[in-house]
Amino acid sequence: MRTRPLGLSLMVTTLGLALTLSACTSEDAGTARGTAGTADDAALTSDDGLQGQSPQNGWLCEYVSPSAVDAAAGGKAVTPRSLTVQDDEKAWVCEVLSGGKDEQEPIVRLTIALGEEGRATAGQRAEAAQGVQPGPDYLGRSFISPGLVTGLTSCTAPKATDRSQQIPYTLVAEAFKVTTPEVTDDLRSALTIAAQGLDKSLGCSPKQASKDQAAATTAP
């Protein structure tokens, strides 16, 4: 296993956090990825007029590999870019865009949301998805359906004084164009890297989400 630093500007604007995540990935994941973009991603680039940032070492939105980007595009992605569409105290949302000028469209979206509201919304959507199956335990209470992978976990709250102060964290990866088993597995891999990074940086308790759900189910 190789440890790589990942830069993620999660809630940096509102909370003043410089959250640096580390992820342990397999040797075949390629070289280290660059730093994630901020809200400046939304600006048009000076060279080709496209939105978002060009990939560094091929990876987009921190966690999506070059091969996963192409698979999600249905072949070969056209000038793929990362665009951070939300970065505040509630969530970090990044889209992988494909297409030329005036033709860009999102093919993958990654979301890391904080709080009960985000968990409830994502959980209901995941459970209602067609063909949904239980996901891996390391993503917490998780669900996998074609083109959609959701992990409901608990991690240390921003500005917490110790790791016992945890809040709900919701991780979602979704594909918009291609939802084959291959693409869905790529989405699961992206969330796996994200979850590992959060755990290393903040400390997470994937089992806590399942305990919370069990308690809610048995409560009178």
Side-chain angles (χ1 to χ4, degrees), residues 119 136-142 152-155 166 199 204-215:
R119 170 184 284 185
D137 292 340
Y138 58 77
L139 290 178
R141 181 169 164 252
S142 64
L152 311 178
T153 186
S154 295
C155 301
Q166 298 202 341
D199 188 38
C204 300
S205 300
K207 293 181 180 180
Q208 187 61 45
S210 298
K211 292 179 180 178
D212 292 345
Q213 176 63 21

Side-chain angles (χ1 to χ4, degrees), residues 187-207:
L187 298 178
R188 180 197 55 76
S189 296
L191 283 198
T192 298
I193 299 171
Q196 289 171 337
L198 285 170
D199 188 38
K200 274 184 169 290
S201 179
L202 300 175
C204 300
S205 300
K207 293 181 180 180

Side-chain angles (χ1 to χ4, degrees), residues 86-142:
Q86 183 176 350
D87 190 359
D88 54 31
E89 76 280 2
K90 292 184 177 181
W92 173 81
V93 183
C94 183
E95 293 182 344
V96 176
L97 305 179
S98 177
K101 188 175 181 180
D102 299 325
E103 296 179 344
Q104 286 181 288
E105 61 178 354
I107 55 174
V108 171
R109 178 186 292 147
L110 299 181
T111 301
I112 301 176
L114 279 66
E116 290 288 354
E117 183 179 355
R119 170 184 284 185
T121 301
Q124 291 172 2
R125 180 190 178 200
E127 289 184 304
Q130 186 174 5
V132 63
Q133 298 290 333
D137 292 340
Y138 58 77
L139 290 178
R141 181 169 164 252
S142 64

Side-chain angles (χ1 to χ4, degrees), residues 1-167:
M1 303 289 283
R2 179 184 299 169
T3 301
R4 301 184 175 91
L6 294 180
L8 176 59
S9 57
L10 182 62
M11 302 97 187
V12 66
T13 302
T14 302
L15 299 179
L17 299 177
L19 180 58
T20 301
L21 303 183
S22 297
C24 181
T25 61
S26 61
E27 291 292 335
D28 61 358
T31 55
R33 286 152 287 177
T35 300
T38 64
D40 291 338
D41 290 352
L44 294 178
T45 59
S46 59
D47 56 348
D48 56 15
L50 296 178
Q51 285 188 306
Q53 288 192 335
S54 299
Q56 298 186 43
N57 300 313
W59 291 73
L60 287 164
C61 288
E62 291 287 353
Y63 311 114
V64 186
S65 70
S67 61
V69 172
D70 287 338
K76 183 70 175 178
V78 178
T79 56
R81 298 293 171 89
S82 293
L83 180 65
T84 302
V85 297
Q86 183 176 350
D87 190 359
D88 54 31
E89 76 280 2
K90 292 184 177 181
W92 173 81
V93 183
C94 183
E95 293 182 344
V96 176
L97 305 179
S98 177
K101 188 175 181 180
D102 299 325
E103 296 179 344
Q104 286 181 288
E105 61 178 354
I107 55 174
V108 171
R109 178 186 292 147
L110 299 181
T111 301
I112 301 176
L114 279 66
E116 290 288 354
E117 183 179 355
R119 170 184 284 185
T121 301
Q124 291 172 2
R125 180 190 178 200
E127 289 184 304
Q130 186 174 5
V132 63
Q133 298 290 333
D137 292 340
Y138 58 77
L139 290 178
R141 181 169 164 252
S142 64
F143 309 87
I144 296 178
S145 58
L148 178 64
V149 180
T150 303
L152 311 178
T153 186
S154 295
C155 301
T156 304
K159 297 186 177 180
T161 56
D162 64 69
R163 293 197 172 193
S164 66
Q165 298 173 299
Q166 298 202 341
I167 62 172

